[in-house]
Amino acid sequence: MHVAHNMEIMKRQESQSLEMESPIGDSFDSYVAELASGLDQNGRELLEAFRGHYSLASQIIELRKRNHLTQAQLAAQARVNQSDISRLERGTGNASQAALERIARVFRASLGFLPEG
């Protein structure tokens, strides 16, 4: 009985944390657009350079949120460490192709190159 009660509390806490609004809004792209609106030309160019660097990070964040997954849930489903998901989302991680493919499979996506623009 005690274990079931604790599990119910954990489920409610997780549900509440998923419902909390993100400080960056619904997507990384909308956050960047809002940020860019207050910058001069040099600032917008610098931001665009960073945007390219963080493209993978923003895609993982958006897909994870769209699928209502926590980093821990995504990590478990993709069989990678949660810390690896965190580093990828911060743009500081280097995952193997195999790990990225397992993450992509969770989202029913595939890896590939996309043209710029």
Side-chain angles (χ1 to χ4, degrees), residues 1 13 28 32 42 76-77 95 115:
M1 177 78 168
Q13 288 173 337
F28 185 74
V32 170
N42 288 336
Q77 289 182 30

Side-chain angles (χ1 to χ4, degrees), residues 29-100:
D29 289 334
S30 62
Y31 171 70
V32 170
E34 182 180 326
L35 190 64
S37 67
L39 297 175
D40 63 11
Q41 181 63 30
N42 288 336
R44 283 191 297 274
E45 288 172 5
L46 183 60
L47 183 61
E48 197 55 39
F50 279 110
R51 185 181 186 134
H53 179 74
Y54 289 101
S55 177
L56 177 64
S58 67
Q59 289 177 53
I60 292 172
I61 292 167
E62 191 157 331
L63 285 166
R64 182 175 60 76
K65 287 184 176 189
R66 187 181 310 152
N67 286 276
H68 307 287
L69 295 173
T70 64
Q71 288 182 349
Q73 291 168 326
L74 173 57
Q77 289 182 30
R79 297 181 330 272
V80 299
N81 292 323
Q82 184 272 329
S83 59
D84 292 334
I85 299 294
S86 177
R87 282 191 287 276
L88 285 169
E89 289 188 0
R90 288 192 323 263
T92 61
N94 291 314
S96 68
Q97 181 176 345
L100 290 173

